[in-house]
């Protein structure tokens, strides 16, 4: 059995529904009143795809401008990015383009990118056309998704797409991605750069930079 552990960062403007999407997937719950994230929150979810187990460490970052300078702490060594915007606010769609430029400047490794237009159920207030979103996603090599938290539409597909992308990355060149952790059925860990870590080294990862962190496991499939 192959095991993959990847880091996923969630980026986007305040109020687009980043936390709501994650909570809907991890807890299958709807929180009507979600307080703005301070710094970042940390979630863990696990998925099974064929003979591979994937563990996603999901860092939900704050959307407020005053926390933007903290973002590099969270997307450092990330293997995937969820770029979330509000389909009813065109400015939030423009905002993810700024995040993409920042990632390109600061992240050297190949990443799985997912562009996510949230609040698809508010179709009367829609300001971003699906074709425009899909065209931009294709331009940057990302998948495109539209989601509705109340109706639980399109959310699971995001995480499955990211998980499948990490499986593909794990089969690629170690020169392209070095931070992805890969294990076999033994207790030792083989990183994609070929470095073997002991179980104690694996568990020593510091998550103290997250403010208000918590972990929730989810098993799919």
């Amino acid at each position: 059995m192959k095991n993959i552990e990847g880091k996923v960062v969630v980026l986007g403007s305040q109020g687009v529904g980043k936390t709501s999407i994650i909570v809907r997937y991890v807890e299958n719950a709807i929180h009507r009143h979600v307080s703005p994230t301070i710094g970042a929150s940390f979630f863990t979810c696990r998925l099974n795809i064929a003979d591979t187990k994937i563990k996603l460490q999901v860092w939900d970052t704050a959307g407020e401008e005053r926390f933007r300078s903290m973002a590099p702490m969270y997307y450092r060594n990330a293997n995937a990015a969820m770029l979330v915007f509000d389909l009813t606010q065109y400015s939030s769609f423009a905002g993810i383009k700024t995040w993409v430029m920042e990632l390109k400047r600061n992240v050297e490794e190949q990443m799985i990118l997912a562009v996510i237009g949230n609040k698809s159920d508010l179709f009367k207030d829609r300001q971003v056309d699906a074709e425009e979103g899909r065209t931009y996603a294709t331009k940057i090599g990302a998948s495109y998704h539209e989601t509705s938290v109340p109706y639980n539409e399109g959310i699971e597909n995001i995480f499955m797409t990211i998980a499948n992308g990490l499986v593909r990355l794990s089969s690629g060149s170690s020169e392209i991605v070095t931070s992805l952790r890969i294990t076999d059925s033994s207790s030792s860990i083989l990183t994609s750069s070929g470095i073997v870590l002991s179980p104690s080294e694996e568990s020593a990862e510091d998550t103290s930079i997250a403010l208000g962190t918590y972990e929730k496991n989810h098993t799919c499939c």
Side-chain angles (χ1 to χ4, degrees):
M1 176 67 71
K2 185 178 183 180
N3 299 277
I4 299 172
E5 182 177 324
K7 180 179 180 181
V8 183
V9 64
V10 187
L11 303 169
S13 303
Q14 181 183 8
V16 298
K18 301 186 295 298
T19 302
S20 295
I21 289 173
I22 301 169
V23 170
R24 189 63 156 117
Y25 180 72
V26 174
E27 301 180 3
N28 193 27
I30 301 174
H31 292 180
R32 296 295 181 183
H33 303 286
V34 179
S35 299
T37 302
I38 299 175
S41 295
F42 176 68
F43 300 79
T44 296
C45 56
R46 293 177 171 85
L47 304 90
N48 298 329
I49 298 178
D51 61 346
T52 303
K53 292 183 177 181
I54 301 99
K55 177 181 178 181
L56 302 179
Q57 297 181 340
V58 184
W59 292 84
D60 174 24
T61 66
E64 291 186 68
E65 188 65 30
R66 63 192 174 114
F67 294 118
R68 192 178 184 94
S69 62
M70 299 173 65
M73 292 192 296
Y74 305 115
Y75 62 63
R76 183 177 61 237
N77 296 325
N79 307 111
M82 294 169 55
L83 303 156
V84 185
F85 69 95
D86 183 344
L87 287 165
T88 71
Q89 296 289 336
Y90 194 88
S91 60
S92 67
F93 176 63
I96 67 168
K97 298 178 182 180
T98 302
W99 283 115
V100 170
M101 289 188 291
E102 185 168 337
L103 289 173
K104 287 183 176 180
R105 286 195 304 266
N106 297 292
V107 179
E108 296 181 358
E109 297 182 8
Q110 184 175 345
M111 295 182 73
I112 303 299
L113 300 179
V115 174
I116 303 161
N118 191 33
K119 308 182 184 181
S120 61
D121 51 293
L122 303 179
F123 56 91
K124 290 184 178 180
D125 300 319
R126 188 179 187 121
Q127 294 184 4
V128 183
D129 183 73
E131 187 59 32
E132 183 177 5
R134 190 174 295 108
T135 298
Y136 176 69
T138 301
K139 178 181 177 181
I140 64 173
S143 57
Y144 181 70
H145 311 264
E146 293 193 353
T147 57
S148 168
V149 172
Y151 294 97
N152 199 20
E153 293 178 350
I155 294 174
E156 182 175 356
N157 188 51
I158 297 168
F159 291 87
M160 292 299 293
T161 299
I162 290 173
N164 277 299
L166 295 182
V167 171
R168 291 193 299 272
L169 277 185
S170 71
S171 302
S173 170
S174 62
E175 296 179 356
I176 296 177
V177 55
T178 60
S179 61
L180 196 64
R181 291 187 173 184
I182 306 167
T183 71
D184 53 23
S185 56
S186 67
S187 59
S188 61
I189 300 169
L190 178 65
T191 69
S192 57
S193 57
I195 301 173
V196 177
L197 304 177
S198 67
S200 61
E201 288 174 306
E202 178 207 15
S203 61
E205 183 170 357
D206 180 16
T207 60
S208 61
I209 58 174
L211 303 179
T213 64
Y214 59 98
E215 179 172 336
K216 176 71 175 180
N217 296 331
H218 172 76
T219 302
C220 170
C221 311

